[in-house]
Amino acid sequence: MSASASVKSVTPPMVERRKGGTPLVCLTAYTTPVAAIADRHCDIILVGDSVGMVLHGLPSTLGVTLEMMILHGKAVRRGVEKALLVVDMPFGTYEESPEQAFRNAARLVAETGCAAVKLEGGVTMAETIRFLTRRGIPVMAHVGLTPQAVNSFGGYKVQGRGEDGERIVADARAVAEAGAFSVVLEKVPDALARRITAEVPIPTIGIGASAACDGQVLVIDDMLGMFTAFRPKFVKRYAELGHSAEAAVAAYAEDVRTRAFPAADHVFGDGADMSSLITPKAEGAE
Ligand code: KIV
């Protein structure tokens, strides 16, 4: 499915204008069918580098490549008609220089059809954000807990507690000044997220942050309950698909072992009755 002329897509400037308005709804997606569901309900769909952990079983996002993001970005693009499509820049594809970031961001935009990229980092990435935005690539920034820096943080810990909060405030201000159209605030104290949302002129998109943010984002597999082992505090589960999938697979295995599947409905006759195999002719066709 591609964006059709009749459907008005959400754009980065439209997102920026939503500051202080009805909260922006954002979810991650990595495949066409899931993107199509999310598109009917979300303002923004993010092809997050969380794809590495969620779909590929990687221990962190650090092993995610540009090729993986392009592959999943293209798949998601086919499911999106209306929402703003944002694709994450993976670790090692933008930190070296603004030129390196532009080269790789341009590939993401050209090859996936996304309208914006997301990259992690505040003050240190401001120059790069300015470089990209001035050259026609809208940037969603990401500050607070930036998972690509997990080794420097020593784990996926809450960021910005106590005096450390000033560091996150400075990061959020810097990315806004550099031209980012929105900023993800991940795993920071509620009061800090409220303060940043009040102080920066661009929408804040919270994950483990605050209801006061200008929008919220979740990893779709987390909110659908696809995992049974892992349950972050900041995730509200809206379904338990992991349990349903487990029960369905167990029932299938039992049916196969007991020859209950396939049943008469699922097998073909010897050709006497071919009606189910013949495609009806279109009206007026010869
Ligand atoms: O990779 C991702 O899914 C993200 C969101 C959690 C914000 O960066």
Side-chain angles (χ1 to χ4, degrees), residues 28 30 46 48-50 88 118 120 142 184 186 207 217 219:
T28 68
Y30 318 109
L46 171 68
D49 61 351
S50 50
D88 247 342
K118 178 167 81 59
E120 297 182 7
H142 185 157
V184 170
E186 179 163 352
I207 174 163
V217 58
V219 168

Side-chain angles (χ1 to χ4, degrees), residues 63 80 235:
V80 172
V235 173

Side-chain angles (χ1 to χ4, degrees), residues 26-30 46-52 54 61 69 88 118 120 140-142 145 147-148 184-186 205-207 217-220 222 234:
C26 179
L27 278 175
T28 68
Y30 318 109
L46 171 68
V47 186
D49 61 351
S50 50
V51 67
V54 173
T61 56
M69 297 312 298
D88 247 342
K118 178 167 81 59
E120 297 182 7
M140 174 183 275
H142 185 157
L145 173 65
Q148 292 173 13
V184 170
L185 287 184
E186 179 163 352
I205 316 284
I207 174 163
V217 58
L218 282 177
V219 168
I220 194 156
D222 286 347
F234 57 82

Side-chain angles (χ1 to χ4, degrees), residues 150-201:
V150 59
N151 290 324
S152 305
F153 291 143
Y156 297 98
K157 300 172 184 164
V158 176
Q159 298 296 307
R161 281 195 164 129
E163 285 177 10
D164 190 38
E166 295 307 320
R167 176 176 63 87
I168 316 289
V169 173
D171 279 341
R173 285 204 182 119
V175 299
E177 275 161 21
F181 71 90
S182 60
V183 56
V184 170
L185 287 184
E186 179 163 352
K187 224 169 171 183
V188 296
D190 180 83
L192 180 64
R194 283 175 190 274
R195 178 180 158 197
I196 291 171
T197 300
E199 287 183 14
V200 301

